[in-house]
């Protein structure tokens, strides 16, 4: 049985012996820092270990200026609900909620099915898609966000 050196080890603060956690500095460099409030200990992260070797000392040959740089990209996009892709046959789905509050803008019928539209993570409002049971007309109803209410002078309902 051979003993292998572990590739990943836990790091501990040299001052208070608490666990060190990876953090990203303002310049994008990766460090290990103590999270205790009264301790400011940190140490730079080492170059990554080569995953093809079983030796913890086998570091990848990466230039030190980019070895521990963290790159982040925000992939959230603004999206608009496209009513063309909403199937009118959804009115037959017994699992969808039904509303008898808002009349259909097309035929005036009171009953409609509705569901919440998919939105991005930064959406501030709840957007509902309605489908009239009578004429299968599709429309959106969006609650007014607090920012829009303030911009309108607070009189919007």
């Amino acid at each position: 049985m051979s003993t292998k050196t572990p590739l990943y080890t836990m790091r501990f603060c040299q001052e208070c012996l608490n666990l060190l956690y990876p953090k990203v500095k303002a310049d994008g460099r990766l460090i290990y820092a103590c999270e205790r409030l009264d301790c400011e200990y940190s140490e730079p992260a080492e170059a990554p270990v080569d995953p093809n070797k079983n030796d913890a000392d086998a570091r990848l040959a990466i230039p030190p200026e980019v070895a521990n740089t963290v790159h982040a990209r925000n992939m959230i996009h603004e999206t608009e609900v496209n009513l063309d892709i909403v199937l009118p046959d959804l009115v037959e789905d017994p699992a969808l909620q039904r509303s008898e509050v808002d009349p259909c803008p097309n035929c005036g019928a009171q009953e409609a099915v509705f569901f919440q539209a998919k939105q991005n993570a930064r959406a501030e409002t709840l957007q509902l898609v309605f489908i009239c049971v009578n004429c299968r007309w599709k429309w959106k109803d969006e609650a007014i966000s607090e920012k829009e209410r303030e911009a309108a002078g607070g009189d919007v309902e």
Side-chain angles (χ1 to χ4, degrees):
M1 201 187 293
S2 65
T3 59
K4 295 182 180 180
T5 307
L7 294 177
Y8 304 103
T9 59
M10 296 176 70
R11 298 172 186 266
F12 295 93
C13 178
Q14 299 297 315
E15 295 176 9
C16 66
L17 300 178
N18 280 333
L19 189 63
L20 295 179
Y21 294 91
K23 295 201 177 199
V24 180
K25 290 175 61 175
D27 64 355
R29 299 278 181 206
L30 182 65
I31 62 166
Y32 290 101
C34 182
E35 287 193 342
R36 192 170 147 186
L37 294 177
D38 59 345
C39 183
E40 296 181 10
Y41 180 81
S42 67
E43 60 186 47
E46 300 170 352
V49 174
D50 188 346
N52 299 319
K53 297 183 179 176
N54 291 330
D55 186 10
D57 293 328
R59 304 281 171 196
L60 293 174
I62 299 174
E65 61 272 3
V66 295
N68 295 312
T69 304
V70 177
H71 300 280
R73 185 168 184 177
N74 188 355
M75 298 297 290
I76 297 175
H77 298 287
E78 295 291 333
T79 58
E80 182 66 28
V81 177
N82 184 358
L83 291 178
D84 295 335
I85 62 171
V86 176
L87 299 174
D89 294 332
L90 285 174
V91 297
E92 306 298 330
D93 188 350
L96 288 178
Q97 295 179 338
R98 298 191 177 263
S99 170
E100 295 180 357
V101 176
D102 294 327
C104 171
N106 189 42
C107 70
Q110 286 294 114
E111 187 177 8
V113 297
F114 68 96
F115 57 93
Q116 181 179 351
K118 288 188 178 182
Q119 294 175 302
N120 62 33
R122 293 185 292 182
E124 297 177 0
T125 61
L126 172 69
Q127 192 168 36
L128 299 176
V129 175
F130 289 86
I131 305 171
C132 177
V133 173
N134 186 39
C135 69
R136 300 189 183 211
W137 180 262
K138 300 174 277 190
W139 73 95
K140 297 183 285 187
D141 183 43
E142 188 171 332
I144 297 173
S145 69
E146 289 298 320
K147 287 183 181 178
E148 291 172 341
R149 187 181 311 268
E150 289 172 7
D155 295 334
V156 179
E157 291 189 23

